[in-house]
Amino acid sequence: MKLAVAFVSFTFCLLSTTSATPVDQKSRGRKIALNKRQTFSGPNGVDTVALQNHLSHVTSKIKKGLTAYARNTGQRHAFEHAVASHRHMNTKNDKHLSAEKRSAGANALMDAGNALWYGTIKVGTPPQSFRVDFDTGSSDLFLPTLHCSVNCAGHKAYDHTKSSSSKSSSKTFNLHYGDGSQVTGIQYEDTIEIAGMKAHNQTLGAADSYSSGFANDRFEPDGLMGMAFKSISDYHAEPVFSSLITQNQSDEAMFAFKLAHDDSELYLGGVNKALYKGDFTWLSLTEEAYWQVHMDGVTLDGTLVTDNSTSNANVSEASIPSNLPHHSAPSGASTLTSSKKIAAIVDTGTTLLVGDSKTVERIYSLVPGAQSAEHYAGPGFYSFPCDATPDIGLIFNGTEFKIKKSIMNIGEDASQSDTNTGNSSASDATETRGNSDDNDESENIGGDNIHAHPKRCLGGLVGHDGNGIDPGLWIVGDVFLRGVYSAFDIGNSRVGFAALA
């Protein structure tokens, strides 16, 4: 989608030979140089309409997965309840994919002005190339077809008639999104190639209509490929990477992301040791559905500011110390432990850091000069003086991970363009954001006079009220992930974070 901030889409350059036979030579993926394709910031600041659409899409996507989970498993997911059920969330699927040594692939991610990171997969025999968004918050692959007539202009279409390995499953699909529209079409099976690895007989959706959120002016890639688990698949089919594992194509049952300003990549079949330093902080999955984990808490200026009382996942009475050692980069070493937890989904398809509205409101109430931006950016958004970006951290498994201020500050408040801010521009805000990590406090920090800071910026931490999902759920997106190296370990049912090299 065309967003003002990083709506994550991820790309692979698939540089391998193709074959019509099901027996493939094992081959390594290769990196592609990172290129920026477009920018979404301009002289008038952040596109708040795009931000609102993105937040709506994110919560809608989670609800869509919950519906699929109930249909696939016959049970309601713990995140579905708006009223706390106190359900224990430590059950795991018995089916763990083996991690036999096969092959590994590293592919650079395309950055579209901190709005889209996207890349390429190949589909069919002979292969057709498509740019797709790689999304750990969903599980299905879909592309437009030649017959797609709604919001498909500008996207490359999948032509199943030109693939000798394509076959129709005669099943339809219908994906609902937050803008009220849908992605509909027919399910096919075909060969999917990623970074030199091939998944045969892979289920994909061939869409004959796209929702407005996937129109080319808001979503540059051709389609989307989910990287979560089968239990939330609308097709009730194995996700592509799981198929690569079961078909013995991957070195390990693991993939990893670097989402940063330079040299971003998705690595399949393990981790790229050149891109991180120190040890990983590992988090066991509470269930194999989303990449869902427990978070210990949120800090402001190194002090815990969450009471963890709003999530369905809170199952203990232990408290967390109110002050923590500062860690400018994650080391993997635990600095505190607590059994009191917050439910969180790690989602590369989410630009923002999304938390429960009460906690987010409390956090911003402690930030000098911060105020609600609901009147122009929408519910859950807040602004603050551009030179006073809050110092936010997330605690996972006892380790505090600081979020860079230049990432937490997502851009200048566009509503100022016609006010007494004069000739302020997005480029001015960017310069201020870049300096904010070096200047932890402005001269007016601690005061209540917001007019002392004429330039105001929007925060990457936003609140949600549930609306069909657990109101205490946190969605950990790019605002956090751009500051760490993240590993998604299917074989051991866990997620890991490490410091970027």
Side-chain angles (χ1 to χ4, degrees), residues 31-203:
K31 277 201 286 191
I32 315 165
L34 179 67
N35 295 296
K36 280 194 173 186
R37 299 301 296 266
Q38 67 185 101
T39 180
F40 297 119
S41 61
N44 294 324
V46 174
D47 183 351
T48 55
V49 173
L51 278 179
Q52 293 172 36
N53 289 336
H54 177 57
L55 184 58
S56 175
H57 176 89
V58 168
T59 55
S60 173
K61 178 180 71 174
I62 300 302
K63 287 190 289 185
K64 180 173 63 67
L66 296 176
T67 301
Y69 178 92
R71 183 176 63 248
N72 295 339
T73 67
Q75 300 177 352
R76 286 188 174 183
H77 193 285
F79 293 165
E80 184 177 348
H81 297 287
V83 179
S85 64
H86 302 291
R87 178 181 304 187
H88 292 282
M89 299 167 57
N90 296 319
T91 58
K92 300 177 183 177
N93 293 346
D94 292 330
K95 297 179 181 179
H96 290 282
L97 299 172
S98 62
E100 300 180 38
K101 288 290 179 182
R102 302 300 175 195
S103 66
N107 289 273
L109 300 179
M110 196 74 70
D111 173 14
N114 285 340
L116 291 175
W117 317 71
Y118 62 86
T120 306
I121 65 172
K122 296 178 181 179
V123 181
T125 309
Q128 305 168 44
S129 295
F130 300 94
R131 301 173 301 174
V132 293
D133 164 20
F134 293 90
D135 176 21
T136 62
S138 63
S139 298
D140 297 314
L141 168 63
F142 63 80
L143 296 164
T145 67
L146 292 173
H147 304 293
C148 185
S149 58
V150 180
N151 292 315
C152 290
H155 293 306
K156 184 177 179 180
Y158 167 63
D159 187 351
H160 68 92
T161 65
K162 292 185 177 180
S163 172
S164 62
S165 52
S166 173
K167 56 184 178 181
S168 173
S169 68
S170 300
K171 296 179 181 179
T172 61
F173 69 96
N174 191 327
L175 311 180
H176 295 263
Y177 287 90
D179 57 10
S181 50
Q182 308 169 39
V183 177
T184 62
I186 303 293
Q187 295 179 38
Y188 284 84
E189 292 182 358
D190 210 336
T191 298
I192 310 297
E193 183 181 348
I194 304 175
M197 294 173 275
K198 293 182 179 180
H200 298 283
N201 302 314
Q202 176 64 45
T203 300

Side-chain angles (χ1 to χ4, degrees), residues 383-405:
S383 71
F384 43 75
C386 291
D387 58 355
T389 303
D391 183 12
I392 302 291
L394 303 184
I395 309 168
F396 289 103
N397 199 14
T399 299
E400 181 188 29
F401 294 81
K402 292 282 192 176
I403 298 173
K404 289 185 177 181
K405 292 184 178 182

Side-chain angles (χ1 to χ4, degrees), residues 228-300:
F229 293 89
K230 180 180 179 180
S231 62
I232 63 167
S233 165
D234 278 281
Y235 312 152
H236 199 198
E238 291 291 343
V240 174
F241 187 66
S242 294
S243 295
L244 291 175
I245 298 166
T246 57
Q247 294 179 31
N248 299 325
Q249 290 290 294
S250 179
D251 269 357
E252 297 181 60
M254 184 189 303
F255 58 89
F257 284 101
K258 177 187 176 183
L259 304 176
H261 188 270
D262 298 306
D263 302 319
S264 298
E265 75 166 36
L266 168 59
Y267 194 89
L268 298 176
V271 296
N272 186 339
K273 295 182 179 179
L275 297 184
Y276 69 93
K277 59 186 177 183
D279 298 323
F280 277 93
T281 295
W282 290 106
L283 313 163
S284 296
L285 299 186
T286 57
E287 185 174 1
E288 290 183 347
Y290 304 94
W291 287 94
Q292 55 196 70
V293 297
H294 281 150
M295 183 171 71
D296 294 331
V298 183
T299 63
L300 175 65

